Amino acid sequence: MLRQRGSRRFDLFSLVLALLAIGLSVTLVYQITVYYGDGPLPIARQAPPPPPAVGG
């Protein structure tokens, strides 16, 4: 394969890997700050039951 000097091609695979690494890092930092943060842990609550169906 002949390559021309001075013309660099944009590497899409490297960009995808970099974005993947950044996304995983941000997610991991978020999970750590939520778990070890100062505030209470966010806990999901059960939703109230739906109203009874009226009519038919």
mmCIF file of all heavy atoms in Angstrom:
data_model
loop_
_atom_site.group_PDB
_atom_site.id
_atom_site.type_symbol
_atom_site.label_atom_id
_atom_site.label_comp_id
_atom_site.label_asym_id
_atom_site.label_seq_id
_atom_site.Cartn_x
_atom_site.Cartn_y
_atom_site.Cartn_z
ATOM 1 N N MET A 1 0.838 -1.186 0.000
ATOM 2 C CA MET A 1 0.000 0.000 0.000
ATOM 3 C C MET A 1 0.882 1.249 0.000
ATOM 4 O O MET A 1 1.840 1.334 0.760
ATOM 5 C CB MET A 1 -0.868 0.024 1.253
ATOM 6 C CG MET A 1 -2.000 -0.981 1.184
ATOM 7 S SD MET A 1 -2.934 -1.108 2.720
ATOM 8 C CE MET A 1 -3.651 0.479 2.845
ATOM 9 N N LEU A 2 0.540 2.151 -0.822
ATOM 10 C CA LEU A 2 1.286 3.400 -0.881
ATOM 11 C C LEU A 2 0.528 4.467 -0.107
ATOM 12 O O LEU A 2 -0.680 4.628 -0.268
ATOM 13 C CB LEU A 2 1.459 3.838 -2.330
ATOM 14 C CG LEU A 2 2.274 2.904 -3.220
ATOM 15 C CD1 LEU A 2 2.227 3.398 -4.657
ATOM 16 C CD2 LEU A 2 3.703 2.836 -2.730
ATOM 17 N N ARG A 3 1.271 5.146 0.721
ATOM 18 C CA ARG A 3 0.664 6.240 1.487
ATOM 19 C C ARG A 3 1.319 7.547 1.087
ATOM 20 O O ARG A 3 2.532 7.605 0.900
ATOM 21 C CB ARG A 3 0.857 6.023 2.980
ATOM 22 C CG ARG A 3 -0.036 4.956 3.502
ATOM 23 C CD ARG A 3 -0.045 5.036 4.991
ATOM 24 N NE ARG A 3 -1.146 4.230 5.474
ATOM 25 C CZ ARG A 3 -1.609 4.270 6.680
ATOM 26 N NH1 ARG A 3 -1.086 5.073 7.557
ATOM 27 N NH2 ARG A 3 -2.605 3.514 7.050
ATOM 28 N N GLN A 4 0.506 8.562 0.994
ATOM 29 C CA GLN A 4 1.044 9.872 0.664
ATOM 30 C C GLN A 4 1.527 10.541 1.949
ATOM 31 O O GLN A 4 0.928 10.398 3.004
ATOM 32 C CB GLN A 4 -0.029 10.736 0.017
ATOM 33 C CG GLN A 4 -0.516 10.194 -1.302
ATOM 34 C CD GLN A 4 -1.646 11.052 -1.854
ATOM 35 O OE1 GLN A 4 -2.080 11.997 -1.220
ATOM 36 N NE2 GLN A 4 -2.115 10.705 -3.027
ATOM 37 N N ARG A 5 2.617 11.257 1.826
ATOM 38 C CA ARG A 5 3.129 11.975 2.987
ATOM 39 C C ARG A 5 2.266 13.204 3.261
ATOM 40 O O ARG A 5 1.821 13.868 2.344
ATOM 41 C CB ARG A 5 4.548 12.447 2.722
ATOM 42 C CG ARG A 5 5.541 11.476 3.202
ATOM 43 C CD ARG A 5 6.919 12.111 3.084
ATOM 44 N NE ARG A 5 7.912 11.099 3.157
ATOM 45 C CZ ARG A 5 8.501 10.743 4.281
ATOM 46 N NH1 ARG A 5 8.213 11.360 5.384
ATOM 47 N NH2 ARG A 5 9.373 9.784 4.288
ATOM 48 N N GLY A 6 2.046 13.450 4.534
ATOM 49 C CA GLY A 6 1.338 14.671 4.890
ATOM 50 C C GLY A 6 -0.172 14.523 4.957
ATOM 51 O O GLY A 6 -0.839 15.368 5.518
ATOM 52 N N SER A 7 -0.726 13.490 4.375
ATOM 53 C CA SER A 7 -2.181 13.329 4.428
ATOM 54 C C SER A 7 -2.512 12.265 5.474
ATOM 55 O O SER A 7 -2.259 11.088 5.271
ATOM 56 C CB SER A 7 -2.746 12.943 3.066
ATOM 57 O OG SER A 7 -2.284 11.671 2.699
ATOM 58 N N ARG A 8 -3.044 12.709 6.587
ATOM 59 C CA ARG A 8 -3.421 11.789 7.654
ATOM 60 C C ARG A 8 -4.915 11.573 7.615
ATOM 61 O O ARG A 8 -5.682 12.514 7.514
ATOM 62 C CB ARG A 8 -3.050 12.399 8.992
ATOM 63 C CG ARG A 8 -1.889 11.699 9.610
ATOM 64 C CD ARG A 8 -1.608 12.309 10.912
ATOM 65 N NE ARG A 8 -1.582 11.241 11.886
ATOM 66 C CZ ARG A 8 -1.191 11.383 13.100
ATOM 67 N NH1 ARG A 8 -0.834 12.548 13.530
ATOM 68 N NH2 ARG A 8 -1.161 10.379 13.906
ATOM 69 N N ARG A 9 -5.306 10.326 7.703
ATOM 70 C CA ARG A 9 -6.725 10.007 7.687
ATOM 71 C C ARG A 9 -7.274 9.986 9.094
ATOM 72 O O ARG A 9 -6.599 9.582 10.033
ATOM 73 C CB ARG A 9 -6.922 8.634 7.071
ATOM 74 C CG ARG A 9 -7.819 8.722 5.860
ATOM 75 C CD ARG A 9 -8.036 7.397 5.271
ATOM 76 N NE ARG A 9 -9.466 7.252 5.202
ATOM 77 C CZ ARG A 9 -10.072 6.161 4.898
ATOM 78 N NH1 ARG A 9 -9.403 5.093 4.647
ATOM 79 N NH2 ARG A 9 -11.354 6.126 4.839
ATOM 80 N N PHE A 10 -8.497 10.402 9.245
ATOM 81 C CA PHE A 10 -9.160 10.419 10.537
ATOM 82 C C PHE A 10 -9.520 8.989 10.913
ATOM 83 O O PHE A 10 -10.133 8.272 10.140
ATOM 84 C CB PHE A 10 -10.419 11.287 10.434
ATOM 85 C CG PHE A 10 -11.112 11.458 11.738
ATOM 86 C CD1 PHE A 10 -10.530 12.202 12.738
ATOM 87 C CD2 PHE A 10 -12.335 10.870 11.964
ATOM 88 C CE1 PHE A 10 -11.168 12.362 13.942
ATOM 89 C CE2 PHE A 10 -12.970 11.016 13.160
ATOM 90 C CZ PHE A 10 -12.387 11.771 14.157
ATOM 91 N N ASP A 11 -9.121 8.568 12.097
ATOM 92 C CA ASP A 11 -9.346 7.205 12.542
ATOM 93 C C ASP A 11 -10.626 7.152 13.373
ATOM 94 O O ASP A 11 -10.662 7.603 14.520
ATOM 95 C CB ASP A 11 -8.149 6.725 13.354
ATOM 96 C CG ASP A 11 -8.212 5.228 13.612
ATOM 97 O OD1 ASP A 11 -9.058 4.552 13.006
ATOM 98 O OD2 ASP A 11 -7.397 4.750 14.409
ATOM 99 N N LEU A 12 -11.673 6.613 12.800
ATOM 100 C CA LEU A 12 -12.974 6.557 13.459
ATOM 101 C C LEU A 12 -12.969 5.561 14.612
ATOM 102 O O LEU A 12 -13.594 5.783 15.642
ATOM 103 C CB LEU A 12 -14.045 6.180 12.434
ATOM 104 C CG LEU A 12 -15.494 6.235 12.918
ATOM 105 C CD1 LEU A 12 -15.850 7.627 13.358
ATOM 106 C CD2 LEU A 12 -16.420 5.768 11.814
ATOM 107 N N PHE A 13 -12.227 4.472 14.480
ATOM 108 C CA PHE A 13 -12.177 3.465 15.536
ATOM 109 C C PHE A 13 -11.558 4.038 16.807
ATOM 110 O O PHE A 13 -12.031 3.777 17.912
ATOM 111 C CB PHE A 13 -11.387 2.252 15.054
ATOM 112 C CG PHE A 13 -11.354 1.124 16.042
ATOM 113 C CD1 PHE A 13 -12.502 0.412 16.337
ATOM 114 C CD2 PHE A 13 -10.181 0.790 16.685
ATOM 115 C CE1 PHE A 13 -12.487 -0.616 17.251
ATOM 116 C CE2 PHE A 13 -10.140 -0.239 17.595
ATOM 117 C CZ PHE A 13 -11.303 -0.946 17.888
ATOM 118 N N SER A 14 -10.511 4.826 16.669
ATOM 119 C CA SER A 14 -9.889 5.453 17.833
ATOM 120 C C SER A 14 -10.844 6.433 18.502
ATOM 121 O O SER A 14 -10.879 6.537 19.726
ATOM 122 C CB SER A 14 -8.614 6.186 17.432
ATOM 123 O OG SER A 14 -7.667 5.269 16.959
ATOM 124 N N LEU A 15 -11.625 7.142 17.719
ATOM 125 C CA LEU A 15 -12.608 8.070 18.276
ATOM 126 C C LEU A 15 -13.676 7.323 19.058
ATOM 127 O O LEU A 15 -14.054 7.724 20.162
ATOM 128 C CB LEU A 15 -13.253 8.890 17.156
ATOM 129 C CG LEU A 15 -14.355 9.847 17.589
ATOM 130 C CD1 LEU A 15 -13.786 10.961 18.457
ATOM 131 C CD2 LEU A 15 -15.068 10.418 16.385
ATOM 132 N N VAL A 16 -14.154 6.205 18.527
ATOM 133 C CA VAL A 16 -15.167 5.407 19.219
ATOM 134 C C VAL A 16 -14.602 4.857 20.525
ATOM 135 O O VAL A 16 -15.269 4.885 21.564
ATOM 136 C CB VAL A 16 -15.682 4.272 18.307
ATOM 137 C CG1 VAL A 16 -16.534 3.291 19.083
ATOM 138 C CG2 VAL A 16 -16.462 4.845 17.139
ATOM 139 N N LEU A 17 -13.382 4.371 20.504
ATOM 140 C CA LEU A 17 -12.761 3.864 21.728
ATOM 141 C C LEU A 17 -12.570 4.978 22.762
ATOM 142 O O LEU A 17 -12.783 4.758 23.953
ATOM 143 C CB LEU A 17 -11.410 3.218 21.407
ATOM 144 C CG LEU A 17 -11.473 1.844 20.755
ATOM 145 C CD1 LEU A 17 -10.061 1.320 20.496
ATOM 146 C CD2 LEU A 17 -12.247 0.864 21.603
ATOM 147 N N ALA A 18 -12.187 6.156 22.318
ATOM 148 C CA ALA A 18 -12.000 7.273 23.244
ATOM 149 C C ALA A 18 -13.336 7.683 23.864
ATOM 150 O O ALA A 18 -13.422 7.917 25.078
ATOM 151 C CB ALA A 18 -11.365 8.453 22.512
ATOM 152 N N LEU A 19 -14.385 7.764 23.055
ATOM 153 C CA LEU A 19 -15.705 8.118 23.588
ATOM 154 C C LEU A 19 -16.229 7.055 24.544
ATOM 155 O O LEU A 19 -16.848 7.370 25.562
ATOM 156 C CB LEU A 19 -16.698 8.342 22.444
ATOM 157 C CG LEU A 19 -16.468 9.587 21.600
ATOM 158 C CD1 LEU A 19 -17.466 9.631 20.443
ATOM 159 C CD2 LEU A 19 -16.581 10.838 22.446
ATOM 160 N N LEU A 20 -15.965 5.806 24.233
ATOM 161 C CA LEU A 20 -16.374 4.711 25.111
ATOM 162 C C LEU A 20 -15.641 4.797 26.452
ATOM 163 O O LEU A 20 -16.262 4.650 27.508
ATOM 164 C CB LEU A 20 -16.083 3.378 24.434
ATOM 165 C CG LEU A 20 -16.498 2.135 25.200
ATOM 166 C CD1 LEU A 20 -18.012 2.064 25.307
ATOM 167 C CD2 LEU A 20 -15.970 0.898 24.521
ATOM 168 N N ALA A 21 -14.358 5.059 26.416
ATOM 169 C CA ALA A 21 -13.585 5.183 27.656
ATOM 170 C C ALA A 21 -14.055 6.380 28.481
ATOM 171 O O ALA A 21 -14.178 6.285 29.708
ATOM 172 C CB ALA A 21 -12.104 5.312 27.325
ATOM 173 N N ILE A 22 -14.339 7.494 27.829
ATOM 174 C CA ILE A 22 -14.830 8.676 28.545
ATOM 175 C C ILE A 22 -16.192 8.395 29.162
ATOM 176 O O ILE A 22 -16.451 8.734 30.321
ATOM 177 C CB ILE A 22 -14.886 9.893 27.594
ATOM 178 C CG1 ILE A 22 -13.470 10.323 27.226
ATOM 179 C CG2 ILE A 22 -15.642 11.050 28.228
ATOM 180 C CD1 ILE A 22 -13.410 11.346 26.121
ATOM 181 N N GLY A 23 -17.079 7.759 28.417
ATOM 182 C CA GLY A 23 -18.406 7.450 28.934
ATOM 183 C C GLY A 23 -18.361 6.497 30.113
ATOM 184 O O GLY A 23 -19.064 6.692 31.109
ATOM 185 N N LEU A 24 -17.527 5.465 30.033
ATOM 186 C CA LEU A 24 -17.397 4.536 31.152
ATOM 187 C C LEU A 24 -16.802 5.227 32.372
ATOM 188 O O LEU A 24 -17.226 4.969 33.506
ATOM 189 C CB LEU A 24 -16.544 3.344 30.740
ATOM 190 C CG LEU A 24 -17.210 2.349 29.788
ATOM 191 C CD1 LEU A 24 -16.208 1.286 29.353
ATOM 192 C CD2 LEU A 24 -18.402 1.694 30.437
ATOM 193 N N SER A 25 -15.842 6.106 32.159
ATOM 194 C CA SER A 25 -15.223 6.821 33.276
ATOM 195 C C SER A 25 -16.226 7.741 33.957
ATOM 196 O O SER A 25 -16.297 7.789 35.190
ATOM 197 C CB SER A 25 -14.032 7.641 32.785
ATOM 198 O OG SER A 25 -13.078 6.804 32.199
ATOM 199 N N VAL A 26 -17.009 8.467 33.168
ATOM 200 C CA VAL A 26 -18.012 9.372 33.743
ATOM 201 C C VAL A 26 -19.057 8.576 34.517
ATOM 202 O O VAL A 26 -19.464 8.963 35.610
ATOM 203 C CB VAL A 26 -18.660 10.223 32.627
ATOM 204 C CG1 VAL A 26 -19.886 10.956 33.128
ATOM 205 C CG2 VAL A 26 -17.648 11.203 32.069
ATOM 206 N N THR A 27 -19.483 7.445 33.981
ATOM 207 C CA THR A 27 -20.464 6.614 34.663
ATOM 208 C C THR A 27 -19.912 6.081 35.976
ATOM 209 O O THR A 27 -20.600 6.088 37.006
ATOM 210 C CB THR A 27 -20.885 5.442 33.761
ATOM 211 O OG1 THR A 27 -21.402 5.961 32.537
ATOM 212 C CG2 THR A 27 -21.934 4.577 34.421
ATOM 213 N N LEU A 28 -18.667 5.643 35.967
ATOM 214 C CA LEU A 28 -18.056 5.115 37.176
ATOM 215 C C LEU A 28 -17.906 6.202 38.239
ATOM 216 O O LEU A 28 -18.198 5.980 39.420
ATOM 217 C CB LEU A 28 -16.697 4.504 36.845
ATOM 218 C CG LEU A 28 -15.966 3.815 37.988
ATOM 219 C CD1 LEU A 28 -16.789 2.633 38.489
ATOM 220 C CD2 LEU A 28 -14.613 3.356 37.539
ATOM 221 N N VAL A 29 -17.479 7.390 37.835
ATOM 222 C CA VAL A 29 -17.348 8.500 38.782
ATOM 223 C C VAL A 29 -18.708 8.867 39.359
ATOM 224 O O VAL A 29 -18.841 9.121 40.568
ATOM 225 C CB VAL A 29 -16.678 9.716 38.104
ATOM 226 C CG1 VAL A 29 -16.795 10.956 38.957
ATOM 227 C CG2 VAL A 29 -15.223 9.414 37.808
ATOM 228 N N TYR A 30 -19.740 8.879 38.551
ATOM 229 C CA TYR A 30 -21.080 9.191 39.033
ATOM 230 C C TYR A 30 -21.539 8.159 40.056
ATOM 231 O O TYR A 30 -22.085 8.504 41.106
ATOM 232 C CB TYR A 30 -22.064 9.247 37.858
ATOM 233 C CG TYR A 30 -23.500 9.364 38.301
ATOM 234 C CD1 TYR A 30 -23.987 10.564 38.793
ATOM 235 C CD2 TYR A 30 -24.360 8.272 38.239
ATOM 236 C CE1 TYR A 30 -25.301 10.674 39.213
ATOM 237 C CE2 TYR A 30 -25.668 8.373 38.659
ATOM 238 C CZ TYR A 30 -26.130 9.577 39.138
ATOM 239 O OH TYR A 30 -27.432 9.681 39.563
ATOM 240 N N GLN A 31 -21.328 6.884 39.770
ATOM 241 C CA GLN A 31 -21.741 5.828 40.698
ATOM 242 C C GLN A 31 -20.987 5.948 42.021
ATOM 243 O O GLN A 31 -21.574 5.760 43.092
ATOM 244 C CB GLN A 31 -21.486 4.449 40.076
ATOM 245 C CG GLN A 31 -22.373 4.136 38.898
ATOM 246 C CD GLN A 31 -23.828 3.986 39.298
ATOM 247 O OE1 GLN A 31 -24.136 3.530 40.385
ATOM 248 N NE2 GLN A 31 -24.720 4.385 38.425
ATOM 249 N N ILE A 32 -19.714 6.256 41.972
ATOM 250 C CA ILE A 32 -18.927 6.399 43.203
ATOM 251 C C ILE A 32 -19.404 7.594 44.012
ATOM 252 O O ILE A 32 -19.553 7.510 45.233
ATOM 253 C CB ILE A 32 -17.426 6.501 42.864
ATOM 254 C CG1 ILE A 32 -16.929 5.150 42.350
ATOM 255 C CG2 ILE A 32 -16.611 6.947 44.066
ATOM 256 C CD1 ILE A 32 -15.526 5.177 41.810
ATOM 257 N N THR A 33 -19.677 8.723 43.349
ATOM 258 C CA THR A 33 -20.131 9.901 44.089
ATOM 259 C C THR A 33 -21.519 9.698 44.673
ATOM 260 O O THR A 33 -21.820 10.208 45.749
ATOM 261 C CB THR A 33 -20.129 11.161 43.207
ATOM 262 O OG1 THR A 33 -20.910 10.932 42.042
ATOM 263 C CG2 THR A 33 -18.727 11.555 42.816
ATOM 264 N N VAL A 34 -22.383 8.956 44.016
ATOM 265 C CA VAL A 34 -23.709 8.682 44.571
ATOM 266 C C VAL A 34 -23.583 7.766 45.780
ATOM 267 O O VAL A 34 -24.225 7.977 46.808
ATOM 268 C CB VAL A 34 -24.635 8.053 43.500
ATOM 269 C CG1 VAL A 34 -25.875 7.447 44.125
ATOM 270 C CG2 VAL A 34 -25.038 9.094 42.482
ATOM 271 N N TYR A 35 -22.728 6.769 45.705
ATOM 272 C CA TYR A 35 -22.623 5.797 46.790
ATOM 273 C C TYR A 35 -21.873 6.364 47.990
ATOM 274 O O TYR A 35 -22.260 6.148 49.125
ATOM 275 C CB TYR A 35 -21.924 4.530 46.296
ATOM 276 C CG TYR A 35 -21.951 3.411 47.308
ATOM 277 C CD1 TYR A 35 -23.117 2.698 47.547
ATOM 278 C CD2 TYR A 35 -20.817 3.088 48.037
ATOM 279 C CE1 TYR A 35 -23.158 1.683 48.484
ATOM 280 C CE2 TYR A 35 -20.847 2.069 48.970
ATOM 281 C CZ TYR A 35 -22.015 1.374 49.187
ATOM 282 O OH TYR A 35 -22.049 0.380 50.113
ATOM 283 N N TYR A 36 -20.778 7.088 47.735
ATOM 284 C CA TYR A 36 -19.954 7.598 48.827
ATOM 285 C C TYR A 36 -20.186 9.074 49.103
ATOM 286 O O TYR A 36 -19.415 9.682 49.835
ATOM 287 C CB TYR A 36 -18.476 7.373 48.524
ATOM 288 C CG TYR A 36 -18.077 5.926 48.550
ATOM 289 C CD1 TYR A 36 -17.744 5.267 47.374
ATOM 290 C CD2 TYR A 36 -18.036 5.224 49.739
ATOM 291 C CE1 TYR A 36 -17.372 3.934 47.395
ATOM 292 C CE2 TYR A 36 -17.671 3.888 49.766
ATOM 293 C CZ TYR A 36 -17.342 3.252 48.590
ATOM 294 O OH TYR A 36 -16.989 1.939 48.616
ATOM 295 N N GLY A 37 -21.217 9.664 48.542
ATOM 296 C CA GLY A 37 -21.489 11.086 48.735
ATOM 297 C C GLY A 37 -21.951 11.397 50.147
ATOM 298 O O GLY A 37 -22.166 10.516 50.981
ATOM 299 N N ASP A 38 -22.116 12.686 50.438
ATOM 300 C CA ASP A 38 -22.514 13.126 51.771
ATOM 301 C C ASP A 38 -23.994 12.892 52.053
ATOM 302 O O ASP A 38 -24.376 12.636 53.184
ATOM 303 C CB ASP A 38 -22.207 14.616 51.945
ATOM 304 C CG ASP A 38 -20.705 14.877 51.963
ATOM 305 O OD1 ASP A 38 -19.964 13.946 52.306
ATOM 306 O OD2 ASP A 38 -20.303 16.003 51.640
ATOM 307 N N GLY A 39 -24.819 13.002 51.035
ATOM 308 C CA GLY A 39 -26.264 12.892 51.242
ATOM 309 C C GLY A 39 -26.722 11.454 51.393
ATOM 310 O O GLY A 39 -25.948 10.504 51.241
ATOM 311 N N PRO A 40 -27.995 11.285 51.712
ATOM 312 C CA PRO A 40 -28.535 9.922 51.824
ATOM 313 C C PRO A 40 -28.625 9.256 50.455
ATOM 314 O O PRO A 40 -28.723 9.921 49.426
ATOM 315 C CB PRO A 40 -29.926 10.138 52.416
ATOM 316 C CG PRO A 40 -30.295 11.520 52.006
ATOM 317 C CD PRO A 40 -29.000 12.303 51.965
ATOM 318 N N LEU A 41 -28.575 7.942 50.447
ATOM 319 C CA LEU A 41 -28.664 7.207 49.192
ATOM 320 C C LEU A 41 -30.070 7.324 48.623
ATOM 321 O O LEU A 41 -31.058 7.201 49.360
ATOM 322 C CB LEU A 41 -28.327 5.733 49.412
ATOM 323 C CG LEU A 41 -26.884 5.420 49.769
ATOM 324 C CD1 LEU A 41 -26.731 3.934 50.050
ATOM 325 C CD2 LEU A 41 -25.963 5.822 48.647
ATOM 326 N N PRO A 42 -30.195 7.574 47.329
ATOM 327 C CA PRO A 42 -31.528 7.641 46.724
ATOM 328 C C PRO A 42 -32.138 6.238 46.643
ATOM 329 O O PRO A 42 -31.553 5.336 46.056
ATOM 330 C CB PRO A 42 -31.270 8.222 45.337
ATOM 331 C CG PRO A 42 -29.847 7.901 45.048
ATOM 332 C CD PRO A 42 -29.138 7.848 46.371
ATOM 333 N N ILE A 43 -33.276 6.078 47.270
ATOM 334 C CA ILE A 43 -33.948 4.779 47.278
ATOM 335 C C ILE A 43 -35.310 4.952 46.607
ATOM 336 O O ILE A 43 -36.061 5.874 46.920
ATOM 337 C CB ILE A 43 -34.117 4.257 48.721
ATOM 338 C CG1 ILE A 43 -32.745 4.063 49.360
ATOM 339 C CG2 ILE A 43 -34.909 2.971 48.739
ATOM 340 C CD1 ILE A 43 -32.791 3.674 50.805
ATOM 341 N N ALA A 44 -35.603 4.048 45.721
ATOM 342 C CA ALA A 44 -36.886 4.110 45.016
ATOM 343 C C ALA A 44 -38.008 3.716 45.971
ATOM 344 O O ALA A 44 -37.857 2.864 46.842
ATOM 345 C CB ALA A 44 -36.871 3.187 43.810
ATOM 346 N N ARG A 45 -39.137 4.362 45.815
ATOM 347 C CA ARG A 45 -40.310 4.038 46.620
ATOM 348 C C ARG A 45 -41.355 3.399 45.728
ATOM 349 O O ARG A 45 -41.401 3.630 44.530
ATOM 350 C CB ARG A 45 -40.884 5.303 47.247
ATOM 351 C CG ARG A 45 -39.927 5.960 48.200
ATOM 352 C CD ARG A 45 -40.555 7.169 48.813
ATOM 353 N NE ARG A 45 -39.579 7.835 49.680
ATOM 354 C CZ ARG A 45 -39.723 9.050 50.119
ATOM 355 N NH1 ARG A 45 -40.779 9.760 49.770
ATOM 356 N NH2 ARG A 45 -38.807 9.584 50.903
ATOM 357 N N GLN A 46 -42.219 2.632 46.368
ATOM 358 C CA GLN A 46 -43.265 1.987 45.602
ATOM 359 C C GLN A 46 -44.316 3.023 45.211
ATOM 360 O O GLN A 46 -44.706 3.861 46.007
ATOM 361 C CB GLN A 46 -43.911 0.873 46.442
ATOM 362 C CG GLN A 46 -44.913 0.059 45.658
ATOM 363 C CD GLN A 46 -45.420 -1.146 46.451
ATOM 364 O OE1 GLN A 46 -44.990 -1.341 47.584
ATOM 365 N NE2 GLN A 46 -46.291 -1.892 45.863
ATOM 366 N N ALA A 47 -44.758 2.947 43.992
ATOM 367 C CA ALA A 47 -45.763 3.879 43.504
ATOM 368 C C ALA A 47 -47.116 3.550 44.111
ATOM 369 O O ALA A 47 -47.400 2.394 44.439
ATOM 370 C CB ALA A 47 -45.839 3.796 41.971
ATOM 371 N N PRO A 48 -47.972 4.563 44.276
ATOM 372 C CA PRO A 48 -49.299 4.288 44.798
ATOM 373 C C PRO A 48 -50.097 3.446 43.805
ATOM 374 O O PRO A 48 -49.845 3.493 42.590
ATOM 375 C CB PRO A 48 -49.925 5.676 44.974
ATOM 376 C CG PRO A 48 -49.145 6.578 44.092
ATOM 377 C CD PRO A 48 -47.764 5.992 43.992
ATOM 378 N N PRO A 49 -51.033 2.668 44.310
ATOM 379 C CA PRO A 49 -51.806 1.832 43.388
ATOM 380 C C PRO A 49 -52.639 2.699 42.439
ATOM 381 O O PRO A 49 -53.075 3.784 42.798
ATOM 382 C CB PRO A 49 -52.708 0.995 44.305
ATOM 383 C CG PRO A 49 -52.761 1.759 45.572
ATOM 384 C CD PRO A 49 -51.471 2.515 45.680
ATOM 385 N N PRO A 50 -52.863 2.218 41.225
ATOM 386 C CA PRO A 50 -53.655 3.008 40.264
ATOM 387 C C PRO A 50 -55.111 3.076 40.732
ATOM 388 O O PRO A 50 -55.599 2.205 41.435
ATOM 389 C CB PRO A 50 -53.517 2.219 38.972
ATOM 390 C CG PRO A 50 -53.187 0.839 39.379
ATOM 391 C CD PRO A 50 -52.420 0.945 40.663
ATOM 392 N N PRO A 51 -55.816 4.126 40.329
ATOM 393 C CA PRO A 51 -57.225 4.237 40.699
ATOM 394 C C PRO A 51 -58.026 3.107 40.040
ATOM 395 O O PRO A 51 -57.649 2.615 38.971
ATOM 396 C CB PRO A 51 -57.644 5.608 40.171
ATOM 397 C CG PRO A 51 -56.641 5.934 39.126
ATOM 398 C CD PRO A 51 -55.375 5.235 39.510
ATOM 399 N N PRO A 52 -59.099 2.711 40.684
ATOM 400 C CA PRO A 52 -59.903 1.631 40.089
ATOM 401 C C PRO A 52 -60.533 2.069 38.766
ATOM 402 O O PRO A 52 -60.858 3.241 38.570
ATOM 403 C CB PRO A 52 -60.974 1.341 41.134
ATOM 404 C CG PRO A 52 -61.035 2.579 41.973
ATOM 405 C CD PRO A 52 -59.674 3.191 41.931
ATOM 406 N N ALA A 53 -60.653 1.145 37.863
ATOM 407 C CA ALA A 53 -61.247 1.443 36.559
ATOM 408 C C ALA A 53 -62.758 1.671 36.730
ATOM 409 O O ALA A 53 -63.440 0.913 37.396
ATOM 410 C CB ALA A 53 -61.012 0.285 35.595
ATOM 411 N N VAL A 54 -63.230 2.746 36.147
ATOM 412 C CA VAL A 54 -64.647 3.073 36.243
ATOM 413 C C VAL A 54 -65.246 2.968 34.854
ATOM 414 O O VAL A 54 -64.674 3.422 33.880
ATOM 415 C CB VAL A 54 -64.846 4.506 36.793
ATOM 416 C CG1 VAL A 54 -66.311 4.864 36.843
ATOM 417 C CG2 VAL A 54 -64.195 4.647 38.152
ATOM 418 N N GLY A 55 -66.396 2.368 34.771
ATOM 419 C CA GLY A 55 -67.068 2.245 33.481
ATOM 420 C C GLY A 55 -66.645 0.989 32.769
ATOM 421 O O GLY A 55 -66.013 0.093 33.317
ATOM 422 N N GLY A 56 -66.910 0.937 31.531
ATOM 423 C CA GLY A 56 -66.557 -0.291 30.848
ATOM 424 C C GLY A 56 -66.820 -0.203 29.453
ATOM 425 O O GLY A 56 -66.538 -0.117 28.428
#
